[in-house]
Amino acid sequence: MKRQENYSLLGHNTFGMDVQTTLFVEYDTVDELRTFLQSGELTRHERYIHIGSGSNLLFAGDYQGIVMHSAIRTIEVTEETDTHVLVRVGSGYVWDDFVNHCVMQGWAGVENLSAIPGEVGASAVQNIGAYGVEVKDVIVCVEAMALDGNTRVFAKEECSYGYRDSIFKRELRGAYIVTHVTYRLEKTPTYRLDYGDLRSRVEAHGEPTLKAVRDAVTEIRNNKLPDPKILGNAGSFFTNPVIPRAKYEALKTQYPNIPSYPISEELVKVPAGWLIENAGWKGKALGRAAVHEKQALVLVNLGGATGHEVMTLAERICEDIYTMYGIRITPEVNYV
Ligand SMILES: Cc1cc2nc3c(=O)[nH]c(=O)nc-3n(C[C@H](O)[C@H](O)[C@H](O)COP(=O)(O)OP(=O)(O)OC[C@H]3O[C@@H](n4cnc5c(N)ncnc54)[C@H](O)[C@@H]3O)c2cc1C
């Protein structure tokens, strides 16, 4: 187990915030995590958080407390039939390495989720999604440890999955640490290509393959999203608001181009990126924090920005969006 006091989190958050934590603890096994939790050390500190690779976090400043991180990086097939495999993966496994592994093995289900930063543990907390797929579609169960060291297996149905949401972000926030996730992958792919220009890109190379989908998704993402190694960011900063259809129809008379995706008879989802861009924020900076010039949903650190600067920019955007459209948008990024 790695244990370091006054530790810089610069390498542990994609926003590029050079903040320190009082204590950083990284464990390699479930037993190490249990021993640490039962040592009583958590209660001796003001607060604690468990992080993955920090690609959906924004640190406001130094963290007075314990930051925990999983280095459980096991991967094992726990069931295999003619049609599918169940794969149990450690929470510290890098998500995109897992996707790559699946594609190489010919296991289908996660190829559309290629190139999403982060680790396996957070995938199940965040219910990551992209190109028409959410990870909940392939999750079978989530193994987690409570702060007293007891373990619990959550069936997918117990995780209350919603859009970028789960029980681990709400009722059980901070109460459980995800240690393993089991996914079900299919041996016969069902390609999901009806999102943007994914189909034309994939079919340009002939019959679809898992690798072609992975390559196309990776290429589109690399063109569209800023690389956190160059420009600090945490991907989509806000979630897309879901609003009553009647409200949407009223807005459409004022903004005829406002896009929407149906959710139900009464509800539609509106892309937050469109609302922000249409409000004139794309490419604008406030101090050292800015709205990305190509993708209005992404806030970036132009270099040396503090968490507070990014949060102030986000607040100003939220206020403008509410004034203009009467819609409240909320951060997808976790403030710490
Ligand atoms: C360039 C870029 C593009 C992105 N694109 C997408 C996208 O297309 N779709 C998408 O859904 N997301 C996207 N994201 C957001 C991000 O990749 C996901 O939210 C990812 O799951 C975060 O993983 P992480 O390991 O970095 O978690 P962190 O950001 O470190 O943590 C996220 C949350 O999970 C909790 N957590 C982490 N690990 C554990 C654990 N083991 N047990 C309990 N709680 C835990 C943390 O406390 C925190 O609340 C993008 C981010 C970036 C920077």
Side-chain angles (χ1 to χ4, degrees):
M1 189 161 82
K2 175 173 163 180
R3 217 191 120 90
Q4 264 180 281
E5 287 175 17
N6 302 322
Y7 179 81
S8 168
L9 294 170
L10 185 57
H12 294 272
N13 74 98
T14 57
F15 246 118
M17 299 295 159
D18 192 4
V19 293
Q20 288 214 334
T21 177
T22 320
L23 179 63
F24 182 78
V25 170
E26 188 175 73
Y27 54 89
D28 297 297
T29 62
V30 166
D31 284 343
E32 275 186 12
L33 173 61
R34 183 180 290 110
T35 303
F36 175 72
L37 292 174
Q38 293 179 341
S39 71
E41 193 142 20
L42 276 194
T43 52
R44 289 198 285 278
H45 286 260
E46 226 172 273
R47 53 186 184 149
Y48 64 88
I49 185 174
H50 195 290
I51 64 168
S53 64
S55 60
N56 205 243
L57 299 178
L58 179 57
F59 287 97
D62 286 342
Y63 190 80
Q64 310 295 338
I66 301 180
V67 172
M68 292 176 277
H69 182 240
S70 165
I72 304 177
R73 301 201 177 101
T74 51
I75 181 162
E76 56 180 323
V77 172
T78 56
E79 182 181 305
E80 179 158 14
T81 70
D82 289 346
T83 57
H84 71 264
V85 284
L86 300 190
V87 190
R88 178 176 181 257
V89 193
S91 50
Y93 206 95
V94 171
W95 170 257
D96 195 51
D97 290 350
F98 169 60
V99 175
N100 189 47
H101 182 78
C102 292
V103 168
M104 291 302 152
Q105 298 293 322
W107 300 336
V110 288
E111 57 284 355
N112 289 41
L113 303 176
S114 290
I116 298 182
E119 296 169 1
V120 158
S123 77
V125 173
Q126 302 282 105
N127 185 22
I128 54 171
Y131 299 95
V133 174
E134 287 181 304
V135 78
K136 73 167 174 56
D137 303 341
V138 293
I139 285 179
V140 175
C141 64
V142 177
E143 290 165 60
M145 188 176 281
L147 300 181
D148 60 5
N150 284 321
T151 49
R152 176 171 163 190
V153 182
F154 292 81
K156 187 235 293 269
E157 296 69 27
E158 294 176 285
C159 296
S160 308
Y161 280 124
Y163 165 59
R164 302 289 182 277
D165 202 16
S166 73
I167 196 163
F168 307 108
K169 286 185 84 174
R170 290 182 179 274
E171 297 93 315
L172 298 183
R173 190 183 191 95
Y176 279 92
I177 292 166
V178 174
T179 58
H180 295 86
V181 184
T182 297
Y183 305 93
R184 178 187 161 124
L185 290 317
E186 304 301 324
K187 291 191 175 172
T188 307
T190 306
Y191 293 106
R192 281 145 304 175
L193 304 175
D194 296 323
Y195 202 99
D197 60 351
L198 188 54
R199 181 177 297 281
S200 59
R201 281 185 185 244
V202 170
E203 293 182 346
H205 300 282
E207 282 294 302
T209 61
L210 295 178
K211 173 112 180 23
V213 176
R214 172 166 169 75
D215 289 348
V217 167
T218 305
E219 193 184 308
I220 298 170
R221 294 179 64 95
N222 287 346
N223 286 336
K224 202 173 72 171
L225 292 165
D227 179 352
K229 288 191 198 91
I230 298 164
L231 205 54
N233 75 90
S236 304
F237 197 93
F238 301 99
T239 48
N240 294 317
V242 174
I243 61 170
R245 191 175 286 274
K247 181 170 178 60
Y248 170 74
E249 295 301 341
L251 279 168
K252 210 167 160 51
T253 57
Q254 209 179 341
Y255 305 103
N257 298 330
I258 184 170
S260 71
Y261 302 99
I263 296 289
S264 66
E265 291 261 306
E266 294 87 32
L267 297 171
V268 297
K269 191 190 281 183
V270 178
W274 186 92
L275 300 174
I276 297 166
E277 183 172 347
N278 191 57
W281 275 102
K282 197 176 184 178
K284 287 228 174 112
L286 206 63
R288 293 166 293 180
V291 180
H292 190 241
E293 54 191 13
K294 281 202 216 161
Q295 173 55 265
L297 198 52
V298 178
L299 303 192
V300 295
N301 176 357
L302 295 176
T306 62
H308 279 296
E309 273 176 274
V310 180
M311 288 173 192
T312 305
L313 172 64
E315 266 166 40
R316 288 279 299 278
I317 294 171
C318 290
E319 281 163 18
D320 261 16
I321 297 304
Y322 186 67
T323 309
M324 257 182 98
Y325 313 101
I327 296 177
R328 291 209 189 276
I329 56 169
T330 50
E332 175 186 328
V333 169
N334 298 279
Y335 288 1
V336 185

